[in-house]
Amino acid sequence: MGGSDGILGIRGGGEGEGERAKAERQTKIKWIKRREKWLVILGVILHAVYMLSIFDIYFKTPIVHGMDPVKPRFNAPAKRLVLLVADGLRADKFFEPDSEGNYRAPFLRSVIKGQGRWGVSHARPPTESRPGHVAIIAGFYEDPSAVTKGWKANPVEFDSVFNRSRHTFAYGSPDIVPIFCSALPHSTWESYPHEFEDFATDASFLDEWSFDQFQSLLNRSNEDPRLKELLLQDNLVIFLHLLGCDSNGHAHRPFSSIYLNNVKVVDHIAERVYALLEDYYKDNRTAYIFTADHGMSDKGSHGDGHWSNTDTPLVVWGAGVKYPKPITASSHSDVRFVDHHAHDMPTPTDWGLNGIERVDVNQADIAPLMSTLLGLPCPVNSVGNLPLGYINMIEEEEIEAVVANTKQILNQFLRKSPAIKTWLPAANFTVQMFMYINIFVYLFGCLLMGLISVLLLVEHSPPLYHAYFAMTVFLWTQIAAEYKFLKSLWRFFKGRKFNYLTKVLAACLISIFILELLVHSFTERKLYTWFFLIAGAVASVYLFLSIPRRWGILIFVCLSCWFLSIFTLMPAEIPDNNELVISSGAIILVIGVFARWLRLNAEGNKFWSGICFHEKLKAMPSVLFYLQVLLVGLSSVMVSLSTSHRTENRELHALHQLINWSIAGFSMVLPLFSEKDLLSRLTSIFLGFAPTFLLLSIGYEAVFYGALSLVLMAWILLENTFLHSTKVKKSSATMRNLEENVIAETGDRYLQLSDIRIPLLFVSLVLFNVAFFGTGNFASIASFEISSVYRFITIFSPFLMAALLILKLFIPFMLVICAFSAITKLLRLPRLGCYFLVILFSDVMTIHFFFLVRNTGSWMEIGNSISHFGIMSAQVVFVLLLFAITNVYTKDIQIRPTSPSSQKAV
């Protein structure tokens, strides 16, 4: 394809090209570039549309409407119900004693022993606040379509116990209370501002705030007759959301004294609420439920199906609730729990409750329990089963309650049955297959489009369904229109020798094999360790054969790969290690000083001529280098000061905050003023992003920053060695291509088969290997340690915190793409052609990730599966965006011409 034009490059016309031919060539180049630009835009649109397809396939809401509520045919045991939800309270920390043998919840333990029933409520992943509260109050497990709104807002309206009540009073977090009450006319609610959620403080005051608001409501009723009248009616629900345990668990871990003390706080609030209402009403017609939406892992996180997240306490007492029952031989739970853990286990001895019957429930069972206590219809979307072990009713009324619960679930089934479309799943599957691996004939595609379009219209399908097929047909129309190119391509391969076709096939198979390994490595991180160990050894052998006398380079490349292999053995959840972050600053300084020394001592050495281009360049101002070194050292000092001050005072000092923001912003601008040769500019970029990354680091990822840079430098050295070896072998075909096929206008050449290693290494070796596991699981922002941003901000601000976490994520990617851009300049590759190969490799992985998308399990598992698919689909935009950003730093990089002839052409 030596004479071909397009995104893979354009072959030069030689020195004898006439003026007219040059003008025609200039016009053709402009036309090709304009066409390439439109191709990029089309690719962005296509990937954006098809990326949305998973939400039509995997994340359709199971909620149906139109069912009539089943009216109960029994008398309500209670006039009002109090629901206390301690967000993030795990069962073992609630029931077990402290180090001195004293129980942390003395009031609720007295309730368990003398007034009510108890057990463990088992949540289902995702164990997050919104899904947990939806299960408790509405009786169904999270609507998977809520993932599109981050589990915050209601994508589809649903029924709840609050809806069925006469009036609901609710106080608590702005992330929970509005979900159920903002659109509820018969509700009185209030929530505190987001600014109250400061992770640097003891958050138990948030629980006190909720209680104070409710107490104030009762006090106002003594002066407000209308409010008094409302409070005296039946079917009332009082909801207090207590966020303290969740916030303290995230910030200080569930083993901390702050979290454990918060257990005492919620117990005391439950005691005061009970005393307040019993004194207010004096009728013994109030039912009380105390539980939690989810637990908390030892690392201070939640979301998955581990028992520490799914097991939450449940204590029920008051009107309509059975009294404690001693354990007998017949006491046995036959509940099938939803989180797939073994639950019918002996109660831990240290809980001190072995003699009292324990009644475990699924979390969604609490909604029908509340409805039955108040004599209300169960929420029409509920899937919970009424736990009779808690209900104190005569046998006839128990039967009526169970029948009402059963009819309500049956109504959902009957409503869903006619709505099931047998052809839609197949159609959705066909869309994906038609888009990604279509071996179908174009005419058949048009016929299929017409047939399914009619079906889509008949079924009143969403517009996106039409877009999927329309864009697919459009793509194949464009491919068919390029029949001349396809014929030329066929003639090209037909005229080649068999060994060339074998090489092409082998390159394709090897590429697919590597990409499939990458897909599996997202869950098997140790594959990367083996990969880097092997890569270090193979690279060393190649360097020994190419430049046998340069032992220093050989050892450097091998050790840098082996050093990086350690990080994929590290825990995915980065443990705190402030001392490691500080010492990483010293490692970064050593790397920067070594690169500076190499830059100053490489002049005159032919091997380093491409990397250190001295001609016609001013010497790098020493003050810039020393300033960058100073900022790296200062950031290490601020890591120590900011962390220690926050730990002691539990707040971020304003002066420290200002200094950290200033260092981060100023340091990232300095590389723009560095020298323009490859080594100097990349060294400056490395030092420029280091302060920001250190200030956002909490552990081993700070060392990873230096290790990543060493491997990127090793990659550049390998490519420079390849280029140097081709210079030595003047007669090789590779060297002739490098010299003869340089484009006068851009300095690039056309791609060769051997160049496939560049985008393949870009996708596999660096971008998704090192950057993925170096800073945490970038596929889910929720998986990052929130403490990473505490040196910049501690007041809860989701958008700013997310932006800082994304910046931390982007820094390694920016280093990678800066190195990638430098290599394309060093080898004179068309960067746009490499970009399209990157997209091609990404789409191969996208096909696999499409079938791995999950809509059940923990929020992290669901989010990761979506992110893996989404990031691969968005690669066309993601890489393009990073190219644009890094181009600001790399566009001025200058490379020494490969030879006098090519220098004349350039």
Side-chain angles (χ1 to χ4, degrees), residues 277-295:
L277 287 174
E278 292 303 306
D279 181 67
Y280 187 88
Y281 288 107
K282 299 183 178 65
D283 60 359
N284 296 323
R285 295 293 304 279
T286 306
Y288 302 85
I289 294 180
F290 176 90
T291 188
D293 55 346
H294 56 74

Side-chain angles (χ1 to χ4, degrees), residues 442-457:
Y442 172 69
L443 292 178
F444 287 168
C446 291
L447 181 61
L448 180 64
M449 176 59 196
L451 175 62
I452 295 184
S453 294
V454 173
L455 292 174
L456 293 174
L457 289 171

Side-chain angles (χ1 to χ4, degrees), residues 510-634:
I510 292 173
S511 300
I512 293 175
F513 175 75
I514 293 175
L515 294 175
E516 284 299 305
L517 282 180
L518 288 178
V519 172
H520 292 288
S521 65
F522 275 52
T523 53
E524 295 292 335
R525 302 172 64 211
K526 292 182 180 179
L527 287 175
Y528 291 127
T529 298
W530 287 105
F531 180 83
F532 287 122
L533 290 174
I534 296 173
V538 172
S540 300
V541 173
Y542 170 76
L543 290 171
F544 176 77
L545 296 176
S546 301
I547 45 174
R549 288 175 293 180
R550 297 184 182 272
W551 289 97
I553 297 176
L554 187 152
I555 295 173
F556 169 76
V557 171
C558 183
L559 292 182
S560 62
C561 290
W562 289 359
F563 180 36
L564 196 62
S565 68
I566 299 174
F567 289 91
T568 51
L569 298 176
M570 298 287 190
E573 295 180 349
I574 302 175
D576 292 344
N577 193 327
N578 197 46
E579 292 74 17
L580 189 59
V581 177
I582 296 172
S583 61
S584 298
I587 297 175
I588 291 172
L589 290 178
V590 170
I591 296 174
V593 170
F594 175 76
R596 171 70 171 172
W597 174 85
L598 183 63
R599 165 67 174 81
L600 296 176
N601 292 273
E603 188 171 3
N605 190 316
K606 293 183 178 180
F607 180 82
W608 301 102
S609 61
I611 298 177
C612 304
F613 183 26
H614 290 262
E615 295 181 13
K616 300 180 181 178
L617 294 176
K618 298 180 180 179
M620 173 183 176
S622 298
V623 65
L624 177 61
F625 175 77
Y626 295 138
L627 180 58
Q628 289 188 298
V629 168
L630 176 64
L631 289 175
V632 174
L634 183 58

Side-chain angles (χ1 to χ4, degrees), residues 220-232:
R220 288 200 312 272
S221 68
N222 295 323
E223 302 175 358
D224 187 341
R226 295 183 61 183
L227 178 58
K228 184 77 171 182
E229 181 183 2
L230 178 61
L231 286 169
L232 292 176

Side-chain angles (χ1 to χ4, degrees), residues 80-130:
R80 65 202 68 90
L81 180 138
V82 178
L83 175 63
L84 304 173
V85 179
D87 202 309
L89 176 58
R90 52 193 271 182
D92 60 335
K93 299 306 173 189
F94 174 79
F95 290 115
E96 70 184 15
D98 58 23
S99 58
E100 299 178 357
N102 300 318
Y103 291 100
R104 303 184 183 99
F107 168 72
L108 290 171
R109 288 185 66 83
S110 68
V111 169
I112 292 172
K113 293 182 177 181
Q115 291 181 262
R117 307 305 301 269
W118 77 285
V120 173
S121 171
H122 299 280
R124 190 180 82 172
T127 45
E128 301 286 345
S129 292
R130 176 201 153 93

Side-chain angles (χ1 to χ4, degrees), residues 621-812:
S622 298
V623 65
L624 177 61
F625 175 77
Y626 295 138
L627 180 58
Q628 289 188 298
V629 168
L630 176 64
L631 289 175
V632 174
L634 183 58
S635 65
S636 299
V637 174
M638 291 308 300
V639 166
S640 177
L641 289 177
S642 300
T643 305
S644 61
H645 188 276
R646 186 185 63 81
T647 302
E648 295 172 2
N649 299 279
R650 299 197 181 96
E651 63 180 8
L652 181 63
H653 198 287
L655 179 60
H656 293 171
Q657 185 178 10
L658 177 62
I659 294 175
N660 291 342
W661 280 103
S662 301
I663 292 174
F666 185 58
S667 64
M668 291 188 292
V669 177
L670 291 180
L672 298 175
F673 303 98
S674 65
E675 277 186 315
K676 298 179 181 179
D677 65 288
L678 186 149
L679 183 59
S680 296
R681 178 55 62 91
L682 291 184
T683 301
S684 184
I685 292 172
F686 165 70
L687 293 175
F689 286 106
T692 306
F693 196 82
L694 286 176
L695 290 170
L696 288 170
S697 298
I698 61 171
Y700 70 77
E701 80 272 33
V703 183
F704 152 80
Y705 182 86
L708 170 65
S709 302
L710 291 175
V711 168
L712 292 177
M713 191 62 215
W715 186 18
I716 293 174
L717 287 176
L718 279 172
E719 296 300 337
N720 187 59
T721 301
F722 173 78
L723 186 63
H724 179 74
S725 63
T726 56
K727 287 182 181 180
V728 175
K729 302 172 183 177
K730 295 289 185 179
S731 60
S732 69
T734 303
M735 187 58 196
R736 288 199 302 272
N737 284 332
L738 288 174
E739 292 184 355
E740 296 174 4
N741 300 302
V742 174
I743 305 168
E745 290 78 11
T746 64
D748 294 339
R749 58 178 173 84
Y750 66 87
L751 285 176
Q752 304 171 22
L753 185 61
S754 61
D755 293 326
I756 199 173
R757 72 186 186 280
I758 305 298
L760 188 61
L761 285 173
F762 173 71
V763 173
S764 60
L765 174 61
V766 187
L767 183 58
F768 283 105
N769 294 28
V770 186
F772 184 98
F773 293 109
T775 58
N777 182 2
F778 84 142
S780 175
I781 292 297
S783 69
F784 279 96
E785 288 285 349
I786 194 67
S787 56
S788 298
V789 304
Y790 283 173
R791 299 187 188 104
F792 291 92
I793 184 174
T794 58
I795 301 297
F796 182 71
S797 177
F799 293 106
L800 181 56
M801 287 179 168
L804 288 171
L805 290 176
I806 291 174
L807 174 61
K808 178 184 179 180
L809 162 69
F810 269 30
I811 288 176

Side-chain angles (χ1 to χ4, degrees), residues 107 208 211-212 265 267-277:
F107 168 72
E208 296 289 351
F211 172 77
D212 292 341
V265 171
D267 177 75
H268 188 45
I269 288 176
E271 181 180 17
R272 286 183 286 167
V273 167
Y274 174 71
L276 193 66
L277 287 174

